[in-house]
Amino acid sequence: MLAPLLPLTRRHVLTGLAATGVLGTMPSNAQRSGPGREGIRPFRVTVPDKAITDLRTRLAATRWPERETAADQSQGVQLAVLRNLVRYWMTDYDWKKIEAHLNTLPMFVTEIDGLDIHFIHIRSPHADAMPMIMTHGWPGSVLEFMEVLGPLSDPTAHGAEAGDAFHLVVPSIPGFGFSGKPTKTGWGSDHIGRAWSTLMQRLGYHRYVSQGGDCGSVISQRMALQNVPGLIGIHLTMPGTVPKEIATILTAGGPPPSGLTTQERTAFEALDNFYRNSSAYAAMMVTRPQTVGYSLVDSPVGLAAWIYEKFAQWTYSGGDPGRVLSRDKMLDDISLYWFTASGASSAQIYWEDHSNNFNAVNIPDMPVAVTVFPGEIYCAPKTWAQRCYRNLTYFHEADNGGHFAAWEQPQLFTQEVRMAFRSLR
């Protein structure tokens, strides 16, 4: 059930929605409407019934491959697992529940550098709340944050102090979800970071913080490196801390160097395993996003397999993401990618950045907070974080949660974000 997930009160919704009503449907042509280039237009999700019928027809016509020859997940998503998920998607899953839930939120679209940017904007009932922009990653979406929006924006309604309140801006990355799709190159993390600064300034926030995981961590770091106007601090759940000498060894496939601490060696081994056994998806999207995109846009089962594999590998679940994410939550996200046909466009950010996002980023002055979740691709050691974030204001190793921290452990994630920025208030 979606209604209990986000106990937003009526005052949240009324604060964000314009009196002129809401926009309908997908944003592909939305930038040809609206009051002006810098206008902020209300947005409403509308997936037509014929699109849902088409999805079910495609699922029913799936041509399945043979069963894997391995007895585990080493060859990818197991046939029986995916068949069960697809059967539920085709017969029992109801997209209209999450669509209705999204439409209770104050959502908007605004044009930045010729591209429509979709975002959720929740003003806290506490006037002195800290403005924060929160950025998702791949294969996530704004849906990752559904259960933390209420506690972060209205802490007193959730048993916390008013001093921990945030005004929230939660955008969809260009090429993802309901944001526009770039039609030319140049929309990498640097550009997105500048666009986020423009968005915050346009909303009237001239002193704010940035939070992110996965692509969101990269974008937050780029915002800090560019010292974008108004940014006073960042919080990362997937920090870039791997020292150059360690990265060189990992690239060459060599053994860990001597002298590593226990935490550093654990991080080295996790990254070595990732590069050897789990990074083929990234190599494809970094070098050939368009090629892999044809399958992701045309085949819902191909898309589901591509995304579900990351749920299995990157949640803190021992390879069974159903332990921490319901089938409906996983299919909400997969369906969002399907209905917006964003399998190829979302992969383009990998091609644009063309870099290793785990490698150390030297941020000398900007306050940086880091939370390490145990199910992340690698657990950044504090020693590495201190080397590259010279103003490391907060570092904590959580005891639960993975790559999709806000989604998996919303209460823990909320606590971490509050602690991360408390010193900057």
Side-chain angles (χ1 to χ4, degrees):
M1 297 296 292
L2 289 167
L5 294 185
L6 180 60
L8 291 175
T9 62
R10 181 174 172 80
R11 59 184 165 175
H12 287 90
V13 178
L14 291 179
T15 300
L17 289 175
T20 55
V22 292
L23 295 177
T25 70
M26 305 297 177
S28 58
N29 296 319
Q31 56 195 26
R32 291 195 277 272
S33 64
R37 290 185 60 82
E38 293 192 1
I40 295 174
R41 296 111 62 194
F43 179 81
R44 185 178 179 84
V45 181
T46 305
V47 173
D49 290 341
K50 65 180 181 180
I52 297 172
T53 299
D54 174 71
L55 168 62
R56 289 174 174 158
T57 300
R58 289 170 180 261
L59 293 174
T62 299
R63 186 168 69 171
W64 293 96
E66 297 77 14
R67 181 184 180 277
E68 64 280 355
T69 57
D72 54 21
Q73 300 180 45
S74 60
Q75 293 180 340
V77 182
Q78 293 170 300
L79 180 63
V81 171
L82 196 62
R83 274 187 176 275
N84 285 336
L85 183 68
V86 168
R87 185 180 300 112
Y88 180 80
W89 196 11
M90 182 175 63
T91 59
D92 297 320
Y93 171 75
D94 184 1
W95 162 262
K96 289 298 181 178
K97 289 183 179 179
I98 189 62
E99 180 179 292
H101 185 67
L102 284 169
N103 286 332
T104 67
L105 303 178
M107 295 191 296
F108 303 88
V109 169
T110 191
E111 183 183 328
I112 300 176
D113 297 339
L115 195 69
D116 267 5
I117 302 299
H118 161 265
F119 62 99
I120 300 166
H121 182 204
I122 299 175
R123 285 195 59 83
S124 172
H126 305 287
D128 58 351
M130 173 179 281
M132 175 169 60
I133 188 165
M134 304 174 69
T135 312
H136 63 86
W138 181 92
S141 64
V142 296
L143 298 180
E144 295 178 47
F145 299 117
M146 290 295 99
E147 293 186 54
V148 303
L149 299 179
L152 287 173
S153 63
D154 193 359
T156 57
H158 297 83
E161 301 296 323
D164 285 326
F166 293 92
H167 299 307
L168 299 177
V169 179
V170 186
S172 296
I173 296 173
F176 288 71
F178 303 114
S179 278
K181 299 175 182 178
T183 57
K184 57 184 179 180
T185 61
W187 276 97
S189 294
D190 283 331
H191 191 167
I192 296 169
R194 295 192 296 273
W196 278 192
S197 176
T198 298
L199 175 59
M200 296 301 279
Q201 299 293 319
R202 188 171 295 176
L203 293 172
Y205 298 132
H206 304 292
R207 184 179 184 273
Y208 63 91
V209 294
S210 179
Q211 192 286 324
D214 192 74
C215 299
S217 283
V218 178
I219 292 166
S220 294
Q221 289 176 143
R222 301 292 180 86
M223 293 172 74
L225 289 168
Q226 296 177 100
N227 197 26
V228 298
L231 184 67
I232 63 170
I234 64 175
H235 173 245
L236 312 172
T237 60
M238 196 191 81
T241 68
V242 180
K244 183 177 180 180
E245 66 273 16
I246 300 296
T248 300
I249 296 172
L250 286 166
T251 300
S258 60
L260 296 181
T261 66
T262 300
Q263 291 83 0
E264 291 169 349
R265 188 179 181 93
T266 298
F268 181 98
E269 291 171 349
L271 286 165
D272 183 58
N273 178 65
F274 172 77
Y275 293 135
R276 290 177 184 272
N277 300 310
S278 303
S279 62
Y281 79 97
M284 282 294 297
M285 296 201 295
V286 164
T287 60
R288 293 294 185 271
Q290 189 69 15
T291 300
V292 69
Y294 293 118
S295 298
L296 301 180
V297 171
D298 184 64
S299 169
V301 172
L303 176 70
W306 194 250
I307 293 178
Y308 178 86
E309 180 178 271
K310 301 311 162 196
F311 293 160
Q313 291 181 330
W314 294 349
T315 53
Y316 193 47
S317 64
D320 181 6
R323 295 177 179 175
V324 294
L325 297 175
S326 68
R327 286 185 299 183
D328 279 1
K329 286 183 178 180
M330 289 186 277
L331 288 171
D332 287 342
D333 188 63
I334 294 169
S335 297
L336 178 59
Y337 276 79
W338 174 257
F339 289 128
T340 58
S342 52
S345 57
S346 62
Q348 289 172 357
I349 192 172
Y350 282 69
W351 182 91
E352 287 284 353
D353 286 348
H354 232 94
S355 58
N356 188 319
N357 293 323
F358 301 135
N359 289 354
V361 177
N362 181 24
I363 299 178
D365 301 316
M366 182 72 66
V368 178
V370 173
T371 301
V372 177
F373 288 90
E376 187 53 270
I377 295 172
Y378 89 107
C379 293
K382 187 174 184 179
T383 51
W384 290 359
Q386 289 171 324
R387 288 177 59 176
C388 54
Y389 308 133
R390 305 302 175 84
N391 191 6
L392 185 66
T393 57
Y394 179 80
F395 183 95
H396 184 242
E397 296 174 345
D399 60 6
N400 204 343
H403 188 73
F404 309 96
W407 217 10
E408 297 176 53
Q409 298 295 330
Q411 183 175 357
L412 180 56
F413 176 87
T414 298
Q415 294 170 354
E416 287 299 306
V417 172
R418 290 171 179 164
M419 291 298 298
F421 293 123
R422 194 163 285 171
S423 66
L424 299 182
R425 290 183 179 274

